[in-house]
Amino acid sequence: MTYDPTGHLLLTPIDKDAPARVRRLRELGLGERPEPAFDEFAHRLADVTGAPFSMVNFIDENRQFFAGLHASEGAHSGTHSGAHSGSDLGAAAASAAGVGGGDARGIGRFMARDHGYCPHVVVRRKALVLEDVYDYPRFAGNPVVDEIGIRSYMGAPLMDRTGVALGTICVVDTGVRPWGRAGLETIKAMAAELMEQIERREDGMP
């Protein structure tokens, strides 16, 4: 097991399906550029869940790419000291990933694979709900906690009809969030809805 200097347990999941995922993403033309339809989906996901930040996230062998991204204007956390503002979160995400790539507001579209919780979701192939990441030693040491200020997370996998987890949809907050059973069912249903859209596009249907 690996620990950071503060004693936090660090575990980035081994992703044996990454090569198959990359092939499938290339077949679908996903994961290399932002798409307005995915940004709109992320906006609706944030609206439905009440989260200040939401993403449609495709993951390859080395990085995560937010093909859909929503960041609420003026989003703030009010639950822990030293909280990051919404604008700080977006800027820190880009900085932490060590790469450029963003929209007109400078929100980072790329993130390293060892940052955040979506890589765990694609390996688990099931939804993950963290109402307070500090409650989970495995996740509390993730770089996004200290570098970006993320305190809560909820994500669900995008399961392709070939059996590959293409990525995730997720919502995050800089404060503790009681997502509850309703939140879990909502994000799972919306992941299924987005996959239907992707499959219709592959089939050439509107």
Side-chain angles (χ1 to χ4, degrees):
M1 294 185 179
T2 303
Y3 295 84
D4 74 1
T6 64
H8 287 124
L9 178 62
L10 298 177
L11 289 175
T12 300
I14 296 173
D15 187 0
K16 297 179 180 178
D17 293 335
R21 178 181 312 109
V22 170
R23 287 193 298 271
R24 185 62 176 142
L25 288 172
R26 299 299 175 263
E27 288 176 3
L28 294 168
L30 299 174
E32 295 184 331
R33 63 186 181 278
E35 297 192 25
F38 292 149
D39 280 344
E40 177 57 34
F41 184 91
H43 175 77
R44 188 158 62 88
L45 177 61
D47 188 55
V48 168
T49 60
F53 307 99
S54 59
M55 299 89 170
V56 175
N57 184 9
F58 297 115
I59 303 174
D60 66 19
E61 293 162 301
N62 301 305
R63 69 182 187 183
Q64 305 172 67
F65 177 69
F66 304 139
L69 178 64
H70 171 82
S72 298
E73 296 292 342
H76 295 276
S77 164
T79 60
H80 66 290
S81 60
H84 298 248
S85 71
S87 59
D88 288 342
L89 191 151
S95 175
V99 295
D103 64 11
R105 290 181 296 167
I107 302 297
R109 291 273 182 177
F110 298 98
M111 183 173 285
R113 204 183 74 80
D114 63 351
H115 282 57
Y117 308 110
C118 290
H120 294 269
V121 172
V122 295
V123 171
R124 289 160 47 102
R125 300 167 63 86
K126 62 181 181 180
L128 175 65
V129 177
L130 305 173
E131 296 187 342
D132 183 349
V133 299
Y134 288 177
D135 290 340
Y136 303 88
R138 181 178 186 181
F139 299 122
N142 193 282
V144 297
V145 177
D146 292 330
E147 294 178 11
I148 305 178
I150 290 177
R151 185 68 181 269
S152 58
Y153 168 94
M154 180 169 62
L158 294 168
M159 297 302 303
D160 183 62
R161 54 186 161 192
T162 65
V164 173
L166 302 177
T168 73
I169 62 170
C170 71
V171 293
V172 300
D173 202 337
T174 52
V176 175
R177 288 292 298 269
W179 305 111
R181 172 62 62 174
L184 173 62
E185 295 304 322
T186 294
I187 202 163
K188 288 167 60 177
M190 293 194 70
E193 176 187 326
L194 184 58
M195 277 310 309
E196 289 177 3
Q197 294 180 22
I198 292 171
E199 290 170 358
R200 286 200 303 270
R201 183 170 73 172
E202 183 182 25
D203 294 338
M205 299 171 61

